[in-house]
Amino acid sequence: AQSVTQLGSHVSVSEGALVLLRCNYSSSVPPYLFWYVQYPNQGLQLLLKYTTGATLVKGINGFEAEFKKSETSFHLTKPSAHMSDAAEYFCAVSEFDNNDMRFGAGTRLTVKP
Amino acid sequence: DTAVSQTPKYLVTQMGNDKSIKCEQNLGHDTMYWYKQDSKKFLKIMFSYNNKELIINETVPNRFSPKSPDKAHLNLHINSLELGDSAVYFCASSRRLAGGQETQYFGPGTRLLVL
């Protein structure tokens, strides 16, 4: 079965600094990969997803992620952090032939003024 | 328009009670899910329903039972609530395509507190 590991349960950056949230996956078949964001006391919101095609995926709010098969990674980045980016971020993987989606444990992003 | 909705948003109840959480989606999706998010924010899939058939059932206690009256609804019924059931429960839905799975859309979550 597929699985996801998010490195770092808590990441802190300064406003304007680069955001890098790490995600590695394990899958026996080509994966579908997702990043979700959860703001305090709110539900999950899809940031971006990779299914097939271009490996660099652009999402909402200036985030992007690159699928690297050789590294089994799908790290999330944003060139310049905003205070409003403070939230919990979840990486998830599913396989093309089933509905089972596996989530990472989440990374809490803190943005300092 | 809300795509995936859950009711109630908050639920506080006593240990031993039976409660239900409702989920509805207006996306025309054929698969719906329930996830449990624990205090450490870790999400774990509990159930998924596809065309009224349970296709995934993780090691969830049988006190939890999903009920799907139609494709647009997947309710979660919990018997004999325990303290450890306190968590946020998320409903989600997706469409199964010939080439694979479409993105899952999540509801806002139901915050359950068992006292």
Side-chain angles (χ1 to χ4, degrees):
Chain A
Q2 66 275 33
S3 65
V4 167
T5 302
Q6 290 183 240
L7 300 176
S9 60
H10 189 196
V11 171
S12 180
V13 300
S14 298
E15 193 172 18
L18 171 71
V19 176
L20 171 61
L21 304 181
R22 300 177 186 274
C23 172
N24 287 89
Y25 70 90
S26 170
S27 176
S28 57
V29 298
Y32 289 179
L33 295 160
F34 308 81
W35 275 101
Y36 286 88
V37 61
Q38 184 182 29
Y39 297 104
N41 298 315
Q42 294 187 28
L44 293 167
Q45 179 180 356
L46 180 67
L47 271 179
L48 51 80
K49 65 177 179 180
Y50 167 81
T51 54
T52 59
T55 56
L56 181 62
V57 181
K58 295 187 184 299
I60 62 172
N61 301 338
F63 284 93
E64 61 182 35
E66 186 171 11
F67 169 57
K68 292 187 176 181
K69 184 178 178 180
S70 60
E71 299 177 7
T72 60
S73 68
F74 191 58
H75 301 330
L76 182 70
T77 60
K78 182 174 180 178
S80 176
H82 295 159
M83 296 297 291
S84 61
D85 294 328
E88 192 93 19
Y89 292 80
F90 292 90
C91 182
V93 61
S94 70
E95 297 179 339
F96 75 98
D97 61 348
N98 69 60
N99 289 334
D100 191 6
M101 178 176 278
R102 303 287 170 165
F103 287 82
T107 298
R108 178 163 297 176
L109 176 66
T110 302
V111 182
K112 298 175 291 186
Chain B
D1 290 339
T2 302
V4 182
S5 60
Q6 296 177 226
T7 54
K9 187 174 182 180
Y10 298 98
L11 181 56
V12 182
T13 188
Q14 298 288 334
M15 230 175 15
N17 285 348
D18 302 338
K19 291 292 180 183
S20 292
I21 306 172
K22 296 184 178 181
C23 178
E24 177 180 4
Q25 54 95 5
N26 62 7
L27 298 167
H29 289 167
D30 56 12
T31 306
M32 296 182 71
Y33 312 79
W34 276 105
Y35 290 85
K36 179 181 180 181
Q37 185 184 48
D38 61 23
S39 59
K40 296 182 179 180
K41 300 288 189 178
F42 191 76
L43 281 163
K44 180 178 179 181
I45 190 167
M46 300 176 71
F47 304 103
S48 74
Y49 254 76
N50 177 270
N51 293 326
K52 290 196 173 185
E53 292 185 51
L54 180 66
I55 59 174
I56 300 174
N57 186 348
E58 296 292 308
T59 54
V60 173
N62 57 16
R63 298 182 295 104
F64 291 81
S65 55
K67 299 187 189 301
S68 180
D70 53 59
K71 282 176 57 175
H73 296 84
L74 182 65
N75 303 326
L76 182 64
H77 190 75
I78 315 169
N79 290 327
S80 301
L81 279 157
E82 300 178 357
L83 295 177
D85 297 333
S86 296
V88 181
Y89 292 83
F90 286 97
C91 178
S93 73
S94 70
R95 181 183 293 116
R96 182 79 182 268
L97 302 175
Q101 179 196 351
E102 195 179 70
T103 302
Q104 292 187 21
Y105 292 81
F106 285 81
T110 295
R111 286 149 184 82
L112 170 65
L113 178 61
V114 182
L115 302 175

